[in-house]
Amino acid sequence: MASDALRITVLGSATPYPRPGNACSGFLVEGGGARVWVDAGTGTLAELQRYVALGEVDAVWLSHLHADHSADLLTAYYALLYADLDLPLPLPLLGPPGTADRLAGFLTNGPVRSPVEKAFAVEELYDGHVTRIGGLTLRSRAVEHGGPPAFALRVEDGRGCSLVYSGDCEPCPYLVELARDCDLFLCEADGDGPGHHSAAQAGRSAAGARARRLVLTHVGPGTEPAEALALAAAEYPGEIAHADPGLRFVPGAGRGEWIEAPARPGA
Ligand SMILES: [Zn+2]
């Protein structure tokens, strides 16, 4: 692996609630001198700290505000303000409209607004939002998740490597456009139904985007990961993996070398 290459570590992929050994949706994206906590599902704050200290995170990016993608943000908020961590604050937080207000009542439990902006520099996402975190470029697109504002993310490292994360959404042309020719497409496969991809649909979206590799995450209850992989493989000819917790994917690595299984420190 090239030094500080773009990579993504699975903190959790369970839905709609965490399981023993698998937190809800969350990922650590690293590369180009930057570390970004992507989705803060239940249990991911603890998993994150297997790899980086809270003070080493450069930004948080949230796909949407459903609990299985954002609940640990509440705990992180509490920690940033009161845990005597001596961190540089506020921490950049990129999230859908309403992110700051979601946090605002958490610590005061009343009409008084809690000091969200002390902990987080909140930047609301919009369709086409682009920002740079260290050497990484983060591009967000609005996607359809059946109601709440929801976003997908493309991360590029400036050295030709890219990864795309669907967040939670049903198949849509914006997602395929965002994922066009990416090295790694991390796509949800919750199951049939509005607002989500089935595993077969994840395969079709990956094929439509000509993604180089596909990783399935957020596989819904009632479907085993192996079954989901088989359904996706029927639609997509490239390499496929499941987002097992603790796996690390290196989008720019060669065939057979792009999946790392690091010992989970502290496990
Ligand atoms: Zn979800």
Side-chain angles (χ1 to χ4, degrees):
M1 182 174 78
S3 162
D4 209 16
L6 180 64
R7 57 204 185 275
I8 180 168
T9 303
V10 181
L11 307 177
S13 57
T15 182
Y17 58 93
R19 311 297 202 282
N22 195 6
C24 282
S25 291
F27 307 89
L28 172 62
V29 172
E30 299 172 274
R35 291 159 159 168
V36 184
W37 180 15
V38 171
D39 271 354
T42 316
T44 56
L45 177 56
E47 293 300 319
L48 179 78
Q49 293 169 89
R50 294 186 190 277
Y51 309 102
V52 293
L54 201 47
E56 295 171 322
V57 173
D58 297 296
V60 183
W61 182 95
L62 293 185
S63 63
H64 63 298
L65 293 178
H66 282 159
D68 59 328
H69 297 254
S70 68
D72 269 20
L73 193 63
L74 300 179
T75 320
Y77 176 36
Y78 192 71
L80 292 178
L81 285 186
Y82 300 122
D84 202 17
L85 289 168
D86 196 23
L87 307 179
L89 294 177
L91 176 64
L93 168 58
L94 309 159
T99 297
D101 288 346
R102 177 65 59 89
L103 293 165
F106 181 64
L107 298 176
T108 51
N109 194 30
V112 177
R113 195 173 193 281
S114 63
V116 180
E117 287 73 19
K118 256 191 181 175
F120 295 109
V122 181
E123 196 173 321
E124 292 194 343
L125 297 174
Y126 52 84
D127 188 33
H129 180 277
V130 180
T131 193
R132 279 182 71 83
I133 308 290
L136 301 180
T137 300
L138 277 62
R139 189 179 308 273
S140 302
R141 286 230 58 179
V143 289
E144 187 52 57
H145 185 38
F151 294 87
L153 173 68
R154 182 178 181 114
V155 182
E156 296 178 346
D157 69 354
R159 293 187 285 191
C161 278
S162 56
L163 68 86
V164 170
Y165 169 46
S166 65
D168 279 8
C169 68
E170 62 193 42
C172 63
Y174 319 111
L175 179 65
V176 171
E177 198 178 300
L178 188 72
R180 179 74 61 206
D181 296 322
C182 67
D183 292 300
L184 187 146
F185 180 35
L186 175 65
C187 189
E188 68 119 306
D190 189 83
D192 288 317
H196 287 288
H197 279 69
S198 67
Q201 287 170 329
R204 284 201 282 278
S205 289
R210 295 194 304 267
R212 191 161 156 236
R213 283 150 180 163
L214 171 63
V215 176
L216 297 183
T217 187
H218 204 286
V219 174
T223 306
E224 290 300 318
E227 187 187 342
L229 291 175
L231 290 166
E235 307 288 339
Y236 171 72
E239 295 175 286
I240 308 184
H242 178 259
D244 290 340
L247 282 187
R248 176 173 292 153
F249 301 103
V250 184
R255 193 174 181 85
E257 296 177 339
W258 63 287
I259 305 174
E260 296 179 355
R264 292 167 80 185

